[in-house]
Amino acid sequence: MFLQRSAFAARRIAVSPVVKRSFASSIVRLNAGKSDPLPGETDKKIKPFNEIKTEADLLPPGAAVGTIPTDLDQSTGLERLEILGKMEGVDIFDMKPLDASRRGTLEDPILVKSAGAEQYAGCTGSPADSHVVWWLTMSRERPIERCPECGSVYKMEYVGPAEDPHAHDHGAHADHDGAHNYEGEPKTFADFVRPEYR
């Protein structure tokens, strides 16, 4: 009976190869070299962040034939500018949170930078997280908004180009702003504030 069980167990043992991968793939991996430069290193195929002057500088060289391109090899435009900035420790889009240590006033509002014609900001009160998030819409035509719950004032600081070359309205709807695109915009509490209190 003991002999029967050991013979049965020997049949169930799986045979595993001595070498997990072939030697050919090991040699290919050894000869592959580095793919992307480490942060701070320079490479012939990318320009350093401080040398980028035009949109043509943001065109990638592409990946070598037979390789899979990385984000650095194939990204273009703003995405490439962001990647190159991150490699040198520069925050291109200024993703820091807004100042929540104080309540904004009309004389000293909390500034929100925007490169577009419209910007959304979420107010959670002062001190932070003292009320639920109220999303406020600011635009170039209406840059100041006030939180309806805590009264904190936010002001959009436009940092983009003077004229948007990608604007689709071409001045046809100049009477509408980006936040309220319909005729007869409803009144808000800001419309009822006396001029001496503004």
Side-chain angles (χ1 to χ4, degrees):
M1 182 161 156
F2 176 73
L3 204 50
Q4 270 184 330
R5 284 187 184 172
S6 61
F8 180 70
R11 279 184 274 167
R12 288 191 340 198
I13 296 174
V15 178
S16 63
V18 176
V19 178
K20 295 290 184 191
R21 67 173 185 244
S22 69
F23 293 111
S25 67
S26 298
I27 292 170
V28 168
R29 288 180 188 208
L30 180 67
N31 292 336
K34 297 190 313 184
S35 59
D36 285 339
L38 296 173
E41 289 183 358
T42 58
D43 189 5
K44 295 182 296 245
K45 65 182 180 178
I46 60 171
K47 283 189 170 187
F49 178 71
N50 56 0
E51 291 181 11
I52 295 175
K53 303 296 181 209
T54 64
E55 290 181 15
D57 295 337
L58 293 174
L59 294 176
V65 177
T67 63
I68 298 173
T70 63
D71 287 342
L72 187 62
D73 291 331
Q74 66 183 359
S75 62
T76 61
L78 288 176
E79 181 184 9
R80 186 166 182 83
L81 184 67
E82 182 182 17
I83 290 172
L84 294 174
K86 283 182 179 179
M87 289 175 66
E88 295 191 15
V90 177
D91 187 12
I92 301 296
F93 295 114
D94 191 22
M95 299 297 287
K96 298 182 303 244
L98 296 176
D99 182 17
S101 64
R102 63 181 180 88
R103 182 172 291 152
T105 63
L106 286 171
E107 294 79 27
D108 188 21
I110 295 174
L111 294 177
V112 179
K113 293 182 180 177
S114 174
E118 185 175 284
Q119 183 68 37
Y120 295 99
C123 178
T124 60
S126 177
D129 297 328
S130 60
H131 63 73
V132 296
V133 178
W134 278 89
W135 292 102
L136 309 170
T137 305
M138 294 163 280
S139 65
R140 289 178 71 179
E141 291 80 21
R142 189 177 176 150
I144 296 177
E145 283 291 331
R146 183 185 289 263
C147 176
E149 188 158 337
C150 69
S152 185
V153 178
Y154 295 87
K155 181 179 181 180
M156 184 179 98
E157 180 183 350
Y158 182 71
V159 294
E163 290 185 19
D164 186 9
H166 301 290
H168 298 288
D169 61 351
H170 303 289
H173 306 287
D175 56 336
H176 301 299
D177 65 6
H180 308 285
N181 291 331
Y182 52 89
E183 229 172 278
E185 172 190 356
K187 292 185 179 268
T188 64
F189 283 113
D191 296 321
F192 296 103
V193 175
R194 293 183 182 171
E196 59 266 16
Y197 294 131
R198 290 185 188 174

